Amino acid sequence: MSETTTAPTPGLSYFKGHGTENDFVIIPDPDGRIELGPAQVARLCDRRAGLGGDGLLRVVRSARDEAAAAQADQAEWFMDYRNSDGSIAEMCGNGVRVFARYLVQAGLAEPGPIAVATRAGVRRAVVAPDAADGTPGEVTVDMGRATLPGPDSIEVAVGERRWPARNVNLGNPHAVAFVADLDQAGKLFDAPAVSPAGVYPQGVNVEFVVDRGERHVAMRVHERGSGETRSCGTGACAVAVATARRDGVDPAVTQVPVTYTVDVPGGRLSITEHPDGRVEMTGPAVIVAGGTLEPGWL
């Protein structure tokens, strides 16, 4: 979508949700009538002057948005995802879980399987029924297949420290580095340096990983366009894939699925990679608030 200075519909409705504390502003726009430019998205995601969020999810029917029209026969709903700085991103794993949770809570879909169109292709989610006490059921997302493009000589640097990193793509790019201590990653307000230059022309999400136990790791992440976030779903999947290769348990080789528990600052995710390459992510997703913006605020 192009930048616009025209304010959206007065009294714009919004919701707020999070998945392992990776939080999002949700803008319902079923008929594709709302035009949000980068500056408006950034204002909505501003944590002091706006609603606050690591990103924004616009909920629109696939057939009503040219970016997803080709997927309309596979998925009714398109997750138009934007980073908190207003830039467009291909995918967001936690975002898909929150998006699916919103569809169910809003009565736009039933618990169970839900297809979601994204710029990285259709992602299939399964929303578990709520528990007897009302606790929202977890959401599992088929994240598709990871690719591990070259080169093999990628390095990540923070200050004077440098680490080798693995290039993993899950519809968006990741550089995964194993470190001795997560504090070595620093504050992660600014993007870590990645070399060689030109490997990630559109930027990259950088994950720092430590071991916590057998098939159990913890991570911190700098998300391009957002800075350090409390969680990153595609990042957790990239970490699990990279760790499986490091541990010599590539499912494509062993023909046995492998599951890793991945701790993030905002909670815990379970990531399973199957022999056919499919990566599934399971974790919580919660809608915490909803309301209406003051007319003309944007």
Side-chain angles (χ1 to χ4, degrees):
M1 287 194 172
S2 60
E3 175 72 84
T4 178
T5 57
T6 303
T9 305
L12 185 71
S13 295
Y14 71 87
F15 291 84
K16 182 73 183 290
H18 76 91
T20 51
E21 298 183 9
N22 193 190
D23 61 336
F24 307 96
V25 176
I26 303 163
I27 301 296
D29 183 24
D31 296 321
R33 297 176 178 175
I34 298 173
E35 190 85 9
L36 289 174
Q40 292 170 314
V41 172
R43 189 173 183 197
L44 284 164
C45 291
D46 189 298
R47 295 195 180 279
R48 294 184 180 276
L51 298 173
D54 293 322
L56 181 142
L57 311 174
R58 188 173 68 98
V59 183
V60 59
R61 286 189 172 86
S62 300
R64 295 301 185 96
D65 193 296
E66 62 182 14
Q71 302 176 63
D73 60 337
Q74 303 177 65
E76 179 180 3
W77 296 100
F78 170 48
M79 183 182 79
D80 178 15
Y81 178 67
R82 317 293 181 90
N83 294 313
S84 62
D85 66 355
S87 60
I88 291 173
E90 303 91 341
M91 245 296 288
C92 176
N94 288 321
V96 174
R97 295 205 321 280
V98 172
F99 189 93
R101 166 61 58 198
Y102 168 78
L103 292 179
V104 170
Q105 187 161 315
L108 301 174
E110 296 294 326
I114 300 173
V116 178
T118 78
R119 289 184 173 85
V122 175
R123 295 293 183 262
R124 303 191 183 280
V126 177
V127 180
D130 292 350
D133 64 359
T135 301
E138 290 194 318
V139 182
T140 298
V141 179
D142 185 335
M143 300 291 288
R145 293 170 174 81
T147 59
L148 290 87
D152 296 328
S153 57
I154 294 173
E155 282 193 334
V156 170
V158 175
E160 299 300 316
R161 295 181 182 271
R162 306 183 70 86
W163 302 270
R166 184 177 283 274
N167 187 357
V168 183
N169 194 292
L170 273 130
N172 58 355
H174 298 267
V176 180
F178 294 91
V179 300
D181 189 317
L182 290 179
D183 287 342
Q184 293 176 344
K187 295 184 181 300
L188 288 183
F189 291 131
D190 299 318
V194 179
S195 60
V199 175
Y200 301 105
Q202 296 181 325
V204 62
N205 306 288
V206 181
E207 287 81 28
F208 297 88
V209 188
V210 296
D211 289 298
R212 289 286 188 247
E214 185 177 1
R215 303 287 190 269
H216 185 185
V217 296
M219 61 173 266
R220 290 176 61 197
V221 59
H222 174 96
E223 289 196 60
R224 59 175 179 167
S226 297
E228 182 171 16
T229 59
R230 300 282 293 170
S231 180
C232 175
T234 55
C237 293
V239 164
V241 169
T243 307
R245 304 309 183 271
R246 184 203 64 175
D247 293 346
V249 290
D250 179 352
V253 175
T254 67
Q255 289 300 297
V256 177
V258 61
T259 298
Y260 281 89
T261 297
V262 181
D263 291 343
V264 295
R268 177 169 287 180
L269 296 166
S270 177
I271 312 297
T272 299
E273 186 179 8
H274 296 274
D276 65 1
R278 289 182 304 107
V279 180
E280 290 184 330
M281 172 185 59
T282 300
V286 182
I287 306 301
V288 299
T292 305
L293 289 172
E294 287 295 315
W297 178 77
L298 282 176

